Amino acid sequence: MAGNKNSIQYFKSTFLKNGLHRPTKYEVTLVAPGQPGGPGAGMLNFQPEALNLPGRSHETIKDDLFFGPARSIPVARDFSGQIVMQFPVSDTQSERSFFEKWMDTVIDPEKEFSKYNLNSETINGGTMTIETFDSKGAVSSTYDFKEVYPLTIMPVNLGYGMRDSYTQMQVAMEFRSYTYKSTGHTTAGSSTGNPSPGDGEPEKTYHTLWVT
C-alpha cells in the first residue's frame, strides 16, 4: 500500500537507502604527549575492542515563577560522561605503559602538581580522534577531541579461573570539547565554516561543540 510507513518497501526506500552503520566500523587515533623514541613513539597502534561515542545534552534552569507547568530553559551545551575504551593487554603490557606515561604528563608524579594548560586545546600535546566508516570504507564521521587526557585506568581483573581468556583493560578519557565532522551534515548557526567541495568531493560541514 503506497505511503504505508509499516511496509517493507517503505523501510527499504528510507532506512536502507544509504545503508545502516555497523558498530565495528571505527578507528581511534591516540597520540600521547612527551614520549621519546622518534615519530609515532607516542601513538597507540592497537585499536580498542569497544568504546562509546560521546553524548551531548543541554544545561537547563527551571522557570516556575508563573502559573502552570514549569519550563526547563536551555542555557548552555554540555557533555555527560567520558569516552570509555576497552583494550586487549599484550604480554609486554605496552598498552598499560602508554596510559601510565600519559597520566604522568598530566600530573607530575614527583612534585604532585597539575600541568593543565587553560590556554591550550591540548594537554601538553595529547590528542584523540575517532572516525567511523561506511560500508564502502569511506569516513562517515570524525570526532576530534580537545583537551583530552586519560582520567581513569580501571581496575584490571586477573584470576586462575580465566585460563581461556586474555587480559583486558578499560580507560576513561576526559575531554573538554570535540569537533564533529560529517558529510552532508548541516546545523544552522553552529558551523565553523563550510569549505568548498573540490575534485568531486561532497561538501562537509564543521560543527564545533564547546563545554562550558
Side-chain angles (χ1 to χ4, degrees):
M1 185 176 177
N4 183 3
K5 295 185 178 181
N6 294 321
S7 68
I8 295 177
Q9 185 61 38
Y10 180 82
F11 181 78
K12 289 181 178 180
S13 63
T14 53
F15 295 103
L16 296 184
K17 181 179 180 180
N18 296 317
L20 297 176
H21 181 258
R22 305 293 183 181
T24 58
K25 301 290 187 179
Y26 66 87
E27 184 174 291
V28 180
T29 302
L30 283 162
V31 180
Q35 298 198 17
M43 182 179 294
L44 188 63
N45 296 317
F46 208 98
Q47 290 297 308
E49 296 178 320
L51 57 83
N52 63 285
L53 291 176
R56 177 187 171 184
S57 63
H58 286 116
E59 291 185 2
T60 63
I61 58 174
K62 287 290 185 181
D63 176 16
D64 54 3
L65 299 179
F66 301 96
F67 295 104
R71 294 183 178 92
S72 292
I73 302 175
V75 294
R77 289 171 288 184
D78 194 12
F79 296 100
S80 59
Q82 297 88 33
I83 304 300
V84 179
M85 296 180 288
Q86 179 172 297
F87 295 91
V89 179
S90 63
D91 266 346
T92 61
Q93 300 286 318
S94 60
E95 297 78 18
R96 177 76 183 227
S97 298
F98 176 87
F99 290 104
E100 290 277 358
K101 291 177 181 178
W102 191 342
M103 295 183 81
D104 285 345
T105 68
V106 178
I107 300 293
D108 190 298
E110 296 181 357
K111 299 180 181 179
E112 292 292 341
F113 70 86
S114 175
K115 300 178 182 179
Y116 198 101
N117 184 0
L118 296 178
N119 297 319
S120 173
E121 290 188 349
T122 65
I123 306 301
N124 297 337
T127 63
M128 181 173 72
T129 302
I130 300 176
E131 293 178 312
T132 63
F133 301 90
D134 61 22
S135 58
K136 297 180 181 179
V139 176
S140 57
S141 67
T142 302
Y143 300 80
D144 288 316
F145 295 86
K146 309 300 182 183
E147 297 185 32
V148 63
Y149 60 93
L151 178 67
T152 306
I153 298 176
M154 309 292 188
V156 176
N157 294 322
L158 302 176
Y160 288 112
M162 303 168 66
R163 294 181 182 275
D164 296 327
S165 302
Y166 57 90
T167 304
Q168 298 169 309
M169 65 175 292
Q170 289 185 321
V171 179
M173 303 295 294
E174 182 64 69
F175 62 95
R176 181 171 186 261
S177 66
Y178 65 81
T179 300
Y180 176 73
K181 303 176 186 178
S182 177
T183 300
H185 176 75
T186 302
T187 302
S190 298
S191 62
T192 59
N194 296 316
S196 300
D199 301 326
E201 295 181 355
E203 183 175 350
K204 293 186 177 181
T205 297
Y206 297 84
H207 181 201
T208 302
L209 309 178
W210 298 100
V211 177
T212 57

